[in-house]
Amino acid sequence: MWDWPNLTEGIQSALAPAGPHAGWVAHLSWLIFIGGGLILLIVVVMAALAIFAPERFRRAIGQRRTVIIGGVAFPFITLTALLIYGLSGSSALVTFGPPALRVEVVGEQWWWRVHYLDAEGETRLTTANEIRIPTGMPIEFVLKSADVIHSFWVPSLAGKLDMIPGRINSYRFAADKPGVYRGQCAEYCGEQHALMAFYVVAMEQEEFELWYADQVQPAPEPALAQLEQGRELFLANGCGACHTIRGTPADGLIGPDLTHVGGRMSLAAGVLPNNVGTLAGWISSAQHLKPENKMPSFGNLRGTELRAIAAYLENLK
Ligand code: CUA
């Protein structure tokens, strides 16, 4: 038996708002949906009357007055009222603030580069594909693109905003309560557009501050021989040309910063859950799992080598 999908629940639904911005979007959507439904009902009833009602009745409603009231005055008044109501609510979202935190997100084919900015707009922390924020306060998102047009969308928290090359778009939103909210690129940006997702993790303020203090630290030193070997292999195979691991010679800027990659929920922008097995699979078969992404498949690595590198990365919490 097929079940109706429950659209008002889940981590990625505009009808399951978890913050004031998404709340307003959901409110407007329901208003338009229900209002539009009622108007459709009226139109259908009028059409039925025009076809089936007795002649006398049809003559009574089939007049110029009906057209002027129903076809001109009614839409003019309803749409004007809706426009004014919509604009007044939306302008409150624009002035929502001041921001407690500024996060710059750069859309890339096909992942998200994330910078936490200080008051001067300088980057204090770089990460990828997962944005942690404190709850209950406005966060400013500064959106850019490194290549083509992407669109930043976390349905449960806010509406879409495009990431356009050469432009900076920004908006603010907040999460009411702790939780994990899924985001998805909402503008076709090439072959792997569908595999360009991310997570927003909303945490209590103190918890967020602990997380942040941890993230700005360099990568932990390997505590086991296997992890030590993993780091050596990571560097020997040239991974550091594209990836940064702070505290090691790896300082590449092409791919995601991996300094604390082990602490993230997903790999490859929401494609895989993050664990030793998927890490090894991604390293050896990145082109199979997400064709045309910039990471080559390292099919040359032996099983033990893959395991060592994956274990090392997984331990970078
Ligand atoms: Cu990025 Cu679609």
Side-chain angles (χ1 to χ4, degrees), residues 34-253:
I34 293 169
L38 288 175
I39 293 170
L40 177 69
L41 195 67
I42 295 172
V43 171
V44 170
V45 168
M46 295 289 276
L49 286 176
I51 299 167
F52 302 112
E55 173 82 26
R56 199 160 44 85
F57 190 74
R58 276 191 280 161
R59 256 182 226 289
I61 55 170
Q63 289 184 10
R64 182 177 290 253
R65 200 183 47 192
T66 315
V67 175
I68 290 173
I69 294 174
V72 181
F74 180 75
F76 181 78
I77 293 167
T78 345
L79 292 176
T80 308
L82 187 62
L83 181 68
I84 293 170
Y85 184 65
L87 286 179
S88 67
S90 307
S91 67
L93 294 181
V94 176
T95 53
F96 183 54
L101 180 67
R102 292 177 75 213
V103 183
E104 178 183 291
V105 187
V106 185
E108 312 233 359
Q109 279 173 318
W110 295 277
W111 59 284
W112 314 82
R113 193 188 293 270
V114 180
H115 299 289
Y116 286 79
L117 306 178
D118 62 14
E120 280 75 47
E122 295 296 320
T123 296
R124 284 282 162 255
L125 169 66
T126 300
T127 170
N129 299 329
E130 189 171 299
I131 305 165
R132 302 217 176 195
I133 58 169
T135 51
M137 41 189 81
I139 314 293
E140 182 159 79
F141 288 84
V142 181
L143 306 180
K144 299 179 178 178
S145 169
D147 35 50
V148 300
I149 300 178
H150 304 270
S151 182
F152 183 85
W153 192 29
V154 197
S156 296
L157 294 179
K160 296 170 191 173
L161 192 59
D162 276 2
M163 305 169 117
I164 300 168
R167 251 196 83 105
I168 301 173
N169 282 339
S170 71
Y171 68 164
R172 296 167 192 175
F173 59 77
D176 286 336
K177 52 184 190 307
V180 175
Y181 307 101
R182 192 175 185 277
Q184 169 67 44
C185 180
E187 177 81 40
Y188 182 75
C189 55
E191 241 180 295
Q192 302 302 335
H193 155 69
L195 297 187
M196 185 169 171
F198 62 103
Y199 289 95
V200 174
V201 181
M203 312 162 90
E204 300 287 3
Q205 168 108 40
E206 305 87 74
E207 217 190 320
F208 170 79
E209 273 162 18
L210 288 175
W211 172 83
Y212 189 91
D214 245 19
Q215 290 285 308
V216 292
Q217 299 295 322
E221 282 296 306
L224 298 167
Q226 189 202 26
L227 307 183
E228 176 72 51
Q229 189 207 353
R231 179 166 72 177
E232 274 162 28
L233 285 163
F234 182 90
L235 296 170
N237 280 282
C239 308
C242 292
H243 296 285
T244 293
I245 297 182
R246 279 179 280 120
T248 76
D251 59 359
L253 295 174

Side-chain angles (χ1 to χ4, degrees), residues 14-33:
L15 299 179
H21 196 133
W24 172 248
V25 173
H27 169 76
L28 264 192
S29 307
W30 283 116
L31 184 76
I32 293 170
F33 179 66

